[in-house]
Amino acid sequence: QVQLVESGGGLVQPGGSLRLSCVVSGPPLYESYDMGWFRQATGKEREFVAAIDWTGGTYYPDSMKGRFTISRNKSKNAVYLEMTDLNAEDTGVYYCNIGDLWLLRNGGPFNSWGQGTQVTVSS
Protein backbone atom coordinates (compact mmCIF):
# COMPACT_ATOMS: atom_id res chain seq x y z
CA GLN A 1 0.00 0.00 0.00
CA VAL A 2 1.20 3.50 -0.80
CA GLN A 3 2.39 5.58 2.12
CA LEU A 4 2.23 9.35 1.88
CA VAL A 5 3.90 11.83 4.19
CA GLU A 6 3.19 15.52 3.72
CA SER A 7 5.20 18.30 5.33
CA GLY A 8 5.99 21.98 5.08
CA GLY A 9 2.75 23.48 6.29
CA GLY A 10 2.51 26.18 8.89
CA LEU A 11 1.22 29.62 9.72
CA VAL A 12 1.80 32.33 7.13
CA GLN A 13 0.57 35.87 6.69
CA PRO A 14 -1.70 36.84 3.81
CA GLY A 15 0.39 37.40 0.72
CA GLY A 16 3.05 35.03 1.94
CA SER A 17 4.52 31.94 0.35
CA LEU A 18 4.97 28.35 1.38
CA ARG A 19 6.49 25.20 -0.06
CA LEU A 20 4.95 21.84 0.73
CA SER A 21 6.61 18.48 0.29
CA CYS A 22 5.29 14.96 -0.04
CA VAL A 23 7.35 11.81 0.11
CA VAL A 24 5.92 8.56 -1.19
CA SER A 25 6.90 5.06 -0.16
CA GLY A 26 5.54 1.58 -0.70
CA PRO A 27 5.20 -0.06 -4.11
CA PRO A 28 7.98 0.56 -6.65
CA LEU A 29 7.80 2.39 -9.97
CA TYR A 30 6.54 5.69 -8.61
CA GLU A 31 8.17 7.46 -11.53
CA SER A 32 5.49 6.06 -13.84
CA TYR A 33 2.62 7.47 -11.77
CA ASP A 34 0.96 10.84 -11.84
CA MET A 35 0.93 12.78 -8.58
CA GLY A 36 -1.14 15.57 -7.18
CA TRP A 37 -2.13 17.84 -4.33
CA PHE A 38 -5.48 18.41 -2.66
CA ARG A 39 -6.75 20.54 0.16
CA GLN A 40 -9.65 20.46 2.55
CA ALA A 41 -10.88 23.34 4.64
CA THR A 42 -12.85 22.72 7.80
CA GLY A 43 -16.39 21.72 6.92
CA LYS A 44 -15.64 21.73 3.22
CA GLU A 45 -15.17 19.06 0.60
CA ARG A 46 -11.67 18.08 -0.45
CA GLU A 47 -10.71 19.85 -3.65
CA PHE A 48 -8.13 19.32 -6.34
CA VAL A 49 -5.21 21.75 -6.28
CA ALA A 50 -2.62 20.56 -8.79
CA ALA A 51 -1.30 17.51 -10.58
CA ILE A 52 1.84 16.51 -12.41
CA ASP A 53 2.06 13.57 -14.75
CA TRP A 54 4.96 11.21 -15.18
CA THR A 55 6.35 13.25 -18.09
CA GLY A 56 6.35 16.47 -16.06
CA GLY A 57 3.21 18.00 -17.49
CA THR A 58 1.27 20.05 -14.96
CA TYR A 59 -2.41 20.66 -14.42
CA TYR A 60 -4.24 23.20 -12.27
CA PRO A 61 -7.73 24.51 -11.75
CA ASP A 62 -8.05 27.99 -13.23
CA SER A 63 -8.09 29.52 -9.76
CA MET A 64 -4.67 28.06 -8.96
CA LYS A 65 -2.84 29.05 -12.13
CA GLY A 66 -0.19 31.67 -11.51
CA ARG A 67 -0.14 31.17 -7.73
CA PHE A 68 0.58 27.47 -7.21
CA THR A 69 3.31 25.44 -8.85
CA ILE A 70 3.66 21.68 -8.63
CA SER A 71 6.92 19.87 -9.27
CA ARG A 72 8.45 16.50 -8.57
CA ASN A 73 11.75 14.80 -7.95
CA LYS A 74 11.49 11.25 -9.19
CA SER A 75 14.77 10.12 -7.64
CA LYS A 76 13.47 11.16 -4.21
CA ASN A 77 9.92 9.90 -4.77
CA ALA A 78 8.75 13.36 -3.85
CA VAL A 79 6.28 15.93 -5.08
CA TYR A 80 6.22 19.58 -4.09
CA LEU A 81 3.76 22.43 -4.09
CA GLU A 82 4.99 26.01 -4.13
CA MET A 83 2.31 28.47 -3.11
CA THR A 84 2.46 32.24 -3.42
CA ASP A 85 0.18 35.17 -2.67
CA LEU A 86 -1.65 33.13 -0.08
CA ASN A 87 -4.94 34.30 1.34
CA ALA A 88 -7.31 33.11 4.05
CA GLU A 89 -9.23 30.95 1.59
CA ASP A 90 -6.10 28.86 1.12
CA THR A 91 -6.29 27.72 4.74
CA GLY A 92 -6.80 23.99 5.12
CA VAL A 93 -5.16 20.62 5.32
CA TYR A 94 -3.14 19.81 2.23
CA TYR A 95 -2.79 16.25 1.02
CA CYS A 96 -0.87 14.58 -1.74
CA ASN A 97 -1.69 11.41 -3.58
CA ILE A 98 -0.52 9.26 -6.45
CA GLY A 99 -2.31 7.52 -9.26
CA ASP A 100 -4.08 8.04 -12.55
CA LEU A 101 -4.42 11.65 -13.65
CA TRP A 102 -8.19 11.36 -13.95
CA LEU A 103 -8.42 10.17 -10.35
CA LEU A 104 -6.19 12.99 -9.17
CA ARG A 105 -8.19 15.68 -10.94
CA ASN A 106 -11.45 14.25 -9.61
CA GLY A 107 -10.30 13.67 -6.05
CA GLY A 108 -10.29 9.92 -6.11
CA PRO A 109 -11.31 7.41 -5.05
CA PHE A 110 -7.97 6.44 -3.56
CA ASN A 111 -7.08 3.48 -1.39
CA SER A 112 -5.60 5.70 1.29
CA TRP A 113 -4.60 9.23 2.27
CA GLY A 114 -1.78 10.61 4.34
CA GLN A 115 -2.34 12.75 7.42
CA GLY A 116 -1.84 15.92 5.44
CA THR A 117 -0.10 19.11 6.47
CA GLN A 118 -1.93 22.10 7.92
CA VAL A 119 -1.68 25.44 6.16
CA THR A 120 -3.06 28.43 8.00
CA VAL A 121 -3.09 31.86 6.41
CA SER A 122 -3.76 34.54 8.97
CA SER A 123 -2.44 37.89 10.10
Side-chain angles (χ1 to χ4, degrees):
Q1 187 172 357
V2 172
Q3 295 178 334
L4 305 149
V5 181
E6 300 93 343
S7 63
L11 175 65
V12 296
Q13 296 183 351
S17 301
L18 206 59
R19 185 173 187 265
L20 308 182
S21 298
C22 169
V23 178
V24 184
S25 63
L29 303 177
Y30 297 121
E31 66 273 11
S32 66
Y33 284 75
D34 306 320
M35 303 181 73
W37 284 94
F38 308 83
R39 69 185 183 187
Q40 187 169 27
T42 300
K44 302 293 184 180
E45 187 177 73
R46 182 183 289 114
E47 66 175 333
F48 168 71
V49 172
I52 184 166
D53 65 29
W54 71 286
T55 71
T58 58
Y59 308 85
Y60 309 90
D62 289 341
S63 61
M64 308 297 178
K65 293 180 180 178
R67 294 200 305 123
F68 291 6
T69 302
I70 187 171
S71 61
R72 70 188 298 173
N73 186 323
K74 292 183 177 181
S75 66
K76 296 182 178 180
N77 294 325
V79 61
Y80 311 97
L81 183 69
E82 297 180 46
M83 305 182 292
T84 62
D85 195 26
L86 291 166
N87 57 66
E89 294 183 355
D90 296 315
T91 294
V93 180
Y94 284 68
Y95 303 88
C96 64
N97 222 309
I98 184 169
D100 180 79
L101 183 60
W102 188 93
L103 293 176
L104 292 168
R105 297 181 68 175
N106 288 278
F110 295 102
N111 291 330
S112 63
W113 293 89
Q115 296 186 57
T117 184
Q118 177 72 46
V119 172
T120 302
V121 185
S122 177
S123 60

